[in-house]
Amino acid sequence: MLVDRKREKAILYAFAASYDVSCLSAVLKIPYLDQKKLYVERNTGRRFSGEELRYAGLAVRFPQGDFPAIKIVLQAETMS
């Protein structure tokens, strides 16, 4: 996981160690973001608070196949 100093953008790479039915989905808890900011997940457009990502996590589905991996980009929204 990469996070910028201002905690406005994060890039996560998640890998499944083996292909198994139990590895098709996971919940990733992300403790390094600012809890008071809102983040947009770039692939889907879903919005999450930093607090939600820290305590509840982000549900992800891995693609089927050998060595499944996903890239997640979170960008903080500007507060108005």
Side-chain angles (χ1 to χ4, degrees), residues 20-75:
D20 188 355
V21 174
S22 64
C23 295
L24 291 179
S25 63
V27 175
L28 306 175
K29 293 187 179 182
I30 308 166
Y32 306 109
L33 301 176
D34 188 335
Q35 293 185 49
K36 297 179 181 177
K37 291 184 180 178
L38 291 175
Y39 292 89
V40 177
E41 199 272 306
R42 290 293 178 198
N43 294 334
T44 62
R46 296 184 298 173
R47 290 175 166 72
F48 304 94
S49 69
E51 185 175 28
E52 181 180 7
L53 292 168
R54 174 179 285 224
Y55 296 110
L58 176 65
V60 296
R61 290 191 54 98
F62 288 101
Q64 293 183 356
D66 295 333
F67 308 109
I70 56 172
K71 177 183 175 183
I72 300 166
V73 178
L74 297 166
Q75 179 70 49

